[in-house]
Amino acid sequence: MNSERLYFIDIVRAFAILMMLQGHFIDTLLSIEYRDISSTAFKIWSYFRGITAPTFFTISGLIFTYLLLKAKEKGNEKLRIKKGIIRGFFLIGVGYLLRAPIFKWLSGKFTTYFLAVDVLQCIGLSLILVILVYIICFKKNTIFSLSTLLLGILIFLTEPLYRNLNPDNIPLIFSNYISKNNGSVFRIIPWFGYVSLGAFLATLFFKNLTKNNFKLITIISFFVVGFILIFYSSYLLATISKLTDIQLFMNSASYNYLFTRFGNVLLYFALFYAFENYLKFPLVLKIGQKTLSIYVIHFIIIYGSFTGYGLNKIIGKTLNPTQAVIGAILFLFIVCFISFYYVKTNAFLYNNLRKLFDKIKS
């Protein structure tokens, strides 16, 4: 068994993508009358749903950076950087494509809706930015590690300064990355902060993974730091504000969802890393490795990419809680099955086309 293989990464990705599937399904189709924030069940569901995106962004930064550092160790750094840039632009392109209302365009109806930024564009740009930071740091691991840590903290800390940012003097395609006023679901800030902190964690894994007791120390550290961020980060920010008389710390403490969510992410990491050996089921690892295809398929089914007709239009917010839960479970199975079948079909076509090409050459 490869001692440097971080199985928990795929486990976390699998958990995050399944949480995202059920979250989008229920949020899109649950009837309005059942969205009662005084309900304990709905409150718990909403809370854990809010951890999904931070987990996804953090794990994306971790796995990409870890592979980049491993490539540097093996002498394949330039190839990994090239692949990373291509991957980043690919994700951005897929993100825009999923929102492209092709049928409406064919009928002569044009809107700027497809320019709204969603998770794929944000992750794609974040990967490119990680590479840029890595190059700026002269590809020095220690400098890069400290830079990503400080950058993530700075982005979270200054959130009040750009919370309501709405630039009017730049093209919409760019302003959508920093403003939510035109329908963007995610913005590069603050979400790049999670990717940056994920990159920082990757440097710790890369440097210390083979050391004695690293796993135990990491799990305990994740639990402790996560607990502090969740329950005490607001207090610490407020205390710093009082000591320094800097209002920004108090403003950050007053609406402190970024640090607390990262605390939740660390608890997830600690939990899945601790039980990694008991969760390495082939199906779970496969789901974790197929998150992009699963995301694309679920987006098409729920939001009706290209056609404009998805479950959001066909069913709408009409389900009761029982129907929503059962439907979400079925939805998980269907999307994963389609994703696995699609991959098998792709491999079949690729292998046969390659054989045909080889025959033509001979």
Side-chain angles (χ1 to χ4, degrees), residues 318-355:
T318 61
L319 303 184
N320 62 41
T322 301
Q323 292 170 331
V325 170
I326 294 175
I329 294 173
L330 292 174
F331 184 66
L332 297 184
F333 282 106
I334 292 171
V335 171
C336 289
F337 174 79
I338 294 174
S339 176
F340 297 158
Y341 179 77
Y342 167 80
V343 172
K344 289 179 181 178
T345 303
N346 257 14
F348 173 79
L349 291 174
Y350 175 78
N351 290 334
N352 281 277
L353 285 173
R354 187 173 61 181
K355 290 178 181 178

Short mmCIF file of all heavy atoms in Angstrom, two decimals, residues 318-355:
data_model
loop_
_atom_site.label_atom_id
_atom_site.label_comp_id
_atom_site.label_asym_id
_atom_site.label_seq_id
_atom_site.Cartn_x
_atom_site.Cartn_y
_atom_site.Cartn_z
N THR A 318 -42.42 21.86 -4.76
CA THR A 318 -43.74 21.26 -4.49
C THR A 318 -43.66 20.05 -3.55
O THR A 318 -44.71 19.54 -3.14
CB THR A 318 -44.39 20.80 -5.80
OG1 THR A 318 -43.56 19.80 -6.43
CG2 THR A 318 -44.58 21.96 -6.76
N LEU A 319 -42.48 19.59 -3.19
CA LEU A 319 -42.36 18.35 -2.42
C LEU A 319 -42.47 18.59 -0.91
O LEU A 319 -42.02 19.61 -0.40
CB LEU A 319 -41.02 17.67 -2.71
CG LEU A 319 -40.72 17.32 -4.18
CD1 LEU A 319 -39.39 16.58 -4.27
CD2 LEU A 319 -41.84 16.51 -4.79
N ASN A 320 -43.08 17.62 -0.22
CA ASN A 320 -43.06 17.66 1.23
C ASN A 320 -41.75 17.03 1.72
O ASN A 320 -41.01 16.44 0.92
CB ASN A 320 -44.29 16.95 1.82
CG ASN A 320 -44.33 15.48 1.47
OD1 ASN A 320 -43.32 14.79 1.48
ND2 ASN A 320 -45.52 14.98 1.13
N PRO A 321 -41.41 17.13 3.01
CA PRO A 321 -40.13 16.61 3.49
C PRO A 321 -39.88 15.14 3.18
O PRO A 321 -38.77 14.76 2.80
CB PRO A 321 -40.21 16.85 5.01
CG PRO A 321 -41.10 18.04 5.14
CD PRO A 321 -42.13 17.88 4.07
N THR A 322 -40.89 14.30 3.34
CA THR A 322 -40.72 12.87 3.07
C THR A 322 -40.40 12.63 1.60
O THR A 322 -39.48 11.88 1.26
CB THR A 322 -41.99 12.09 3.44
OG1 THR A 322 -42.28 12.29 4.83
CG2 THR A 322 -41.81 10.60 3.18
N GLN A 323 -41.15 13.28 0.71
CA GLN A 323 -40.91 13.15 -0.72
C GLN A 323 -39.52 13.69 -1.09
O GLN A 323 -38.82 13.10 -1.92
CB GLN A 323 -41.98 13.92 -1.50
CG GLN A 323 -43.37 13.31 -1.38
CD GLN A 323 -44.43 14.23 -1.97
OE1 GLN A 323 -44.28 15.46 -1.97
NE2 GLN A 323 -45.51 13.64 -2.48
N ALA A 324 -39.13 14.79 -0.46
CA ALA A 324 -37.84 15.41 -0.76
C ALA A 324 -36.68 14.49 -0.34
O ALA A 324 -35.70 14.33 -1.08
CB ALA A 324 -37.71 16.76 -0.06
N VAL A 325 -36.79 13.88 0.83
CA VAL A 325 -35.73 13.00 1.32
C VAL A 325 -35.62 11.75 0.45
O VAL A 325 -34.52 11.36 0.03
CB VAL A 325 -35.98 12.61 2.79
CG1 VAL A 325 -35.00 11.51 3.22
CG2 VAL A 325 -35.83 13.83 3.69
N ILE A 326 -36.75 11.11 0.18
CA ILE A 326 -36.73 9.91 -0.67
C ILE A 326 -36.23 10.25 -2.07
O ILE A 326 -35.42 9.53 -2.66
CB ILE A 326 -38.14 9.28 -0.74
CG1 ILE A 326 -38.55 8.77 0.65
CG2 ILE A 326 -38.17 8.14 -1.75
CD1 ILE A 326 -39.97 8.24 0.71
N GLY A 327 -36.71 11.37 -2.58
CA GLY A 327 -36.28 11.81 -3.91
C GLY A 327 -34.79 12.10 -3.95
O GLY A 327 -34.11 11.76 -4.93
N ALA A 328 -34.26 12.70 -2.89
CA ALA A 328 -32.83 13.01 -2.84
C ALA A 328 -31.99 11.74 -2.86
O ALA A 328 -30.96 11.67 -3.54
CB ALA A 328 -32.52 13.84 -1.61
N ILE A 329 -32.43 10.73 -2.12
CA ILE A 329 -31.70 9.45 -2.08
C ILE A 329 -31.69 8.80 -3.46
O ILE A 329 -30.65 8.34 -3.94
CB ILE A 329 -32.33 8.51 -1.04
CG1 ILE A 329 -32.15 9.08 0.37
CG2 ILE A 329 -31.70 7.11 -1.13
CD1 ILE A 329 -32.88 8.31 1.44
N LEU A 330 -32.85 8.79 -4.11
CA LEU A 330 -32.93 8.24 -5.46
C LEU A 330 -32.07 9.04 -6.43
O LEU A 330 -31.41 8.48 -7.32
CB LEU A 330 -34.39 8.22 -5.94
CG LEU A 330 -35.32 7.24 -5.22
CD1 LEU A 330 -36.76 7.44 -5.70
CD2 LEU A 330 -34.89 5.80 -5.47
N PHE A 331 -32.08 10.34 -6.24
CA PHE A 331 -31.30 11.23 -7.10
C PHE A 331 -29.81 10.92 -6.99
O PHE A 331 -29.09 10.92 -8.00
CB PHE A 331 -31.59 12.68 -6.71
CG PHE A 331 -30.92 13.70 -7.58
CD1 PHE A 331 -31.26 13.82 -8.91
CD2 PHE A 331 -29.96 14.55 -7.06
CE1 PHE A 331 -30.66 14.77 -9.73
CE2 PHE A 331 -29.35 15.50 -7.85
CZ PHE A 331 -29.69 15.61 -9.19
N LEU A 332 -29.33 10.65 -5.77
CA LEU A 332 -27.93 10.30 -5.57
C LEU A 332 -27.56 9.07 -6.38
O LEU A 332 -26.54 9.04 -7.08
CB LEU A 332 -27.64 10.06 -4.09
CG LEU A 332 -27.81 11.21 -3.10
CD1 LEU A 332 -27.39 10.77 -1.71
CD2 LEU A 332 -27.01 12.41 -3.52
N PHE A 333 -28.40 8.03 -6.26
CA PHE A 333 -28.12 6.78 -6.97
C PHE A 333 -28.15 6.98 -8.48
O PHE A 333 -27.28 6.47 -9.20
CB PHE A 333 -29.13 5.71 -6.56
CG PHE A 333 -28.86 5.08 -5.22
CD1 PHE A 333 -29.64 5.40 -4.13
CD2 PHE A 333 -27.81 4.19 -5.05
CE1 PHE A 333 -29.39 4.84 -2.89
CE2 PHE A 333 -27.54 3.62 -3.82
CZ PHE A 333 -28.34 3.94 -2.72
N ILE A 334 -29.13 7.70 -8.97
CA ILE A 334 -29.29 7.89 -10.42
C ILE A 334 -28.12 8.66 -11.01
O ILE A 334 -27.54 8.27 -12.04
CB ILE A 334 -30.62 8.60 -10.72
CG1 ILE A 334 -31.80 7.69 -10.39
CG2 ILE A 334 -30.68 9.04 -12.18
CD1 ILE A 334 -33.15 8.37 -10.45
N VAL A 335 -27.75 9.77 -10.37
CA VAL A 335 -26.66 10.60 -10.88
C VAL A 335 -25.34 9.84 -10.86
O VAL A 335 -24.57 9.88 -11.83
CB VAL A 335 -26.55 11.91 -10.07
CG1 VAL A 335 -25.28 12.67 -10.46
CG2 VAL A 335 -27.77 12.78 -10.30
N CYS A 336 -25.07 9.13 -9.77
CA CYS A 336 -23.82 8.36 -9.68
C CYS A 336 -23.79 7.24 -10.73
O CYS A 336 -22.76 6.99 -11.37
CB CYS A 336 -23.65 7.78 -8.28
SG CYS A 336 -23.27 9.01 -7.02
N PHE A 337 -24.93 6.58 -10.92
CA PHE A 337 -25.00 5.51 -11.92
C PHE A 337 -24.73 6.05 -13.32
O PHE A 337 -23.95 5.48 -14.09
CB PHE A 337 -26.38 4.85 -11.88
CG PHE A 337 -26.58 3.82 -12.97
CD1 PHE A 337 -26.05 2.55 -12.85
CD2 PHE A 337 -27.29 4.15 -14.12
CE1 PHE A 337 -26.22 1.62 -13.86
CE2 PHE A 337 -27.48 3.22 -15.13
CZ PHE A 337 -26.94 1.95 -15.01
N ILE A 338 -25.36 7.17 -13.65
CA ILE A 338 -25.15 7.78 -14.97
C ILE A 338 -23.68 8.17 -15.13
O ILE A 338 -23.09 7.97 -16.19
CB ILE A 338 -26.05 9.01 -15.15
CG1 ILE A 338 -27.52 8.60 -15.18
CG2 ILE A 338 -25.69 9.77 -16.43
CD1 ILE A 338 -28.49 9.77 -15.22
N SER A 339 -23.11 8.72 -14.08
CA SER A 339 -21.71 9.14 -14.13
C SER A 339 -20.79 7.96 -14.39
O SER A 339 -19.89 8.03 -15.24
CB SER A 339 -21.32 9.83 -12.83
OG SER A 339 -19.96 10.17 -12.82
N PHE A 340 -21.00 6.87 -13.67
CA PHE A 340 -20.15 5.69 -13.86
C PHE A 340 -20.35 5.09 -15.24
O PHE A 340 -19.40 4.67 -15.90
CB PHE A 340 -20.45 4.64 -12.79
CG PHE A 340 -20.16 5.09 -11.39
CD1 PHE A 340 -20.76 4.49 -10.31
CD2 PHE A 340 -19.28 6.15 -11.16
CE1 PHE A 340 -20.50 4.91 -9.02
CE2 PHE A 340 -19.00 6.58 -9.87
CZ PHE A 340 -19.61 5.95 -8.80
N TYR A 341 -21.60 5.04 -15.70
CA TYR A 341 -21.90 4.48 -17.02
C TYR A 341 -21.29 5.33 -18.11
O TYR A 341 -20.74 4.82 -19.09
CB TYR A 341 -23.41 4.39 -17.21
CG TYR A 341 -23.81 3.84 -18.56
CD1 TYR A 341 -23.74 2.46 -18.83
CD2 TYR A 341 -24.25 4.68 -19.58
CE1 TYR A 341 -24.08 1.96 -20.07
CE2 TYR A 341 -24.60 4.17 -20.82
CZ TYR A 341 -24.52 2.82 -21.06
OH TYR A 341 -24.87 2.32 -22.29
N TYR A 342 -21.36 6.65 -17.94
CA TYR A 342 -20.79 7.58 -18.91
C TYR A 342 -19.29 7.36 -19.05
O TYR A 342 -18.75 7.32 -20.14
CB TYR A 342 -21.07 9.01 -18.46
CG TYR A 342 -20.28 10.07 -19.20
CD1 TYR A 342 -20.68 10.50 -20.47
CD2 TYR A 342 -19.13 10.63 -18.65
CE1 TYR A 342 -19.95 11.46 -21.15
CE2 TYR A 342 -18.40 11.58 -19.32
CZ TYR A 342 -18.82 12.00 -20.57
OH TYR A 342 -18.10 12.95 -21.24
N VAL A 343 -18.62 7.19 -17.90
CA VAL A 343 -17.18 6.98 -17.93
C VAL A 343 -16.84 5.68 -18.64
O VAL A 343 -15.92 5.60 -19.44
CB VAL A 343 -16.62 6.97 -16.49
CG1 VAL A 343 -15.15 6.55 -16.49
CG2 VAL A 343 -16.77 8.35 -15.86
N LYS A 344 -17.62 4.61 -18.35
CA LYS A 344 -17.37 3.33 -19.01
C LYS A 344 -17.59 3.44 -20.51
O LYS A 344 -16.85 2.89 -21.31
CB LYS A 344 -18.29 2.26 -18.43
CG LYS A 344 -17.94 1.85 -17.00
CD LYS A 344 -18.90 0.81 -16.48
CE LYS A 344 -18.57 0.41 -15.05
NZ LYS A 344 -19.52 -0.59 -14.51
N THR A 345 -18.63 4.16 -20.89
CA THR A 345 -18.92 4.35 -22.31
C THR A 345 -17.79 5.10 -23.00
O THR A 345 -17.36 4.76 -24.10
CB THR A 345 -20.24 5.12 -22.50
OG1 THR A 345 -21.29 4.40 -21.84
CG2 THR A 345 -20.60 5.25 -23.96
N ASN A 346 -17.30 6.14 -22.35
CA ASN A 346 -16.19 6.91 -22.89
C ASN A 346 -14.96 6.04 -23.11
O ASN A 346 -14.30 6.10 -24.14
CB ASN A 346 -15.84 8.06 -21.94
CG ASN A 346 -16.36 9.38 -22.46
OD1 ASN A 346 -17.18 9.41 -23.36
ND2 ASN A 346 -15.89 10.47 -21.88
N ALA A 347 -14.64 5.21 -22.13
CA ALA A 347 -13.48 4.34 -22.24
C ALA A 347 -13.65 3.34 -23.38
O ALA A 347 -12.71 3.07 -24.13
CB ALA A 347 -13.27 3.60 -20.91
N PHE A 348 -14.87 2.81 -23.51
CA PHE A 348 -15.15 1.85 -24.59
C PHE A 348 -14.95 2.50 -25.95
O PHE A 348 -14.28 1.94 -26.84
CB PHE A 348 -16.59 1.34 -24.45
CG PHE A 348 -17.05 0.49 -25.59
CD1 PHE A 348 -16.67 -0.85 -25.67
CD2 PHE A 348 -17.85 1.01 -26.60
CE1 PHE A 348 -17.09 -1.64 -26.75
CE2 PHE A 348 -18.26 0.24 -27.66
CZ PHE A 348 -17.89 -1.10 -27.73
N LEU A 349 -15.51 3.69 -26.14
CA LEU A 349 -15.38 4.38 -27.43
C LEU A 349 -13.93 4.75 -27.71
O LEU A 349 -13.44 4.59 -28.84
CB LEU A 349 -16.26 5.64 -27.43
CG LEU A 349 -17.77 5.40 -27.44
CD1 LEU A 349 -18.51 6.73 -27.30
CD2 LEU A 349 -18.21 4.69 -28.72
N TYR A 350 -13.22 5.23 -26.67
CA TYR A 350 -11.83 5.64 -26.85
C TYR A 350 -10.96 4.45 -27.25
O TYR A 350 -10.15 4.54 -28.19
CB TYR A 350 -11.30 6.26 -25.56
CG TYR A 350 -9.84 6.61 -25.61
CD1 TYR A 350 -9.41 7.77 -26.27
CD2 TYR A 350 -8.88 5.79 -25.03
CE1 TYR A 350 -8.06 8.10 -26.34
CE2 TYR A 350 -7.53 6.11 -25.09
CZ TYR A 350 -7.14 7.26 -25.75
OH TYR A 350 -5.80 7.57 -25.82
N ASN A 351 -11.14 3.33 -26.59
CA ASN A 351 -10.32 2.15 -26.89
C ASN A 351 -10.56 1.64 -28.30
O ASN A 351 -9.63 1.27 -29.01
CB ASN A 351 -10.61 1.03 -25.87
CG ASN A 351 -10.08 1.37 -24.49
OD1 ASN A 351 -9.13 2.13 -24.36
ND2 ASN A 351 -10.70 0.80 -23.47
N ASN A 352 -11.84 1.64 -28.71
CA ASN A 352 -12.15 1.15 -30.05
C ASN A 352 -11.70 2.12 -31.14
O ASN A 352 -11.25 1.68 -32.21
CB ASN A 352 -13.65 0.88 -30.18
CG ASN A 352 -14.05 -0.44 -29.54
OD1 ASN A 352 -13.94 -1.51 -30.14
ND2 ASN A 352 -14.52 -0.37 -28.30
N LEU A 353 -11.81 3.40 -30.89
CA LEU A 353 -11.33 4.38 -31.86
C LEU A 353 -9.81 4.29 -32.00
O LEU A 353 -9.27 4.44 -33.10
CB LEU A 353 -11.74 5.79 -31.42
CG LEU A 353 -13.22 6.14 -31.62
CD1 LEU A 353 -13.53 7.50 -30.99
CD2 LEU A 353 -13.58 6.16 -33.11
N ARG A 354 -9.13 4.04 -30.88
CA ARG A 354 -7.68 3.91 -30.93
C ARG A 354 -7.28 2.68 -31.74
O ARG A 354 -6.33 2.71 -32.53
CB ARG A 354 -7.11 3.83 -29.51
CG ARG A 354 -5.59 3.85 -29.48
CD ARG A 354 -5.07 3.93 -28.06
NE ARG A 354 -5.50 2.77 -27.28
CZ ARG A 354 -5.19 2.60 -25.99
NH1 ARG A 354 -4.51 3.52 -25.36
NH2 ARG A 354 -5.61 1.52 -25.36
N LYS A 355 -8.03 1.58 -31.55
CA LYS A 355 -7.75 0.36 -32.32
C LYS A 355 -7.97 0.61 -33.81
O LYS A 355 -7.19 0.17 -34.66
CB LYS A 355 -8.65 -0.78 -31.84
CG LYS A 355 -8.31 -1.30 -30.45
CD LYS A 355 -9.28 -2.40 -30.04
CE LYS A 355 -8.97 -2.90 -28.63
NZ LYS A 355 -9.94 -3.94 -28.19
#
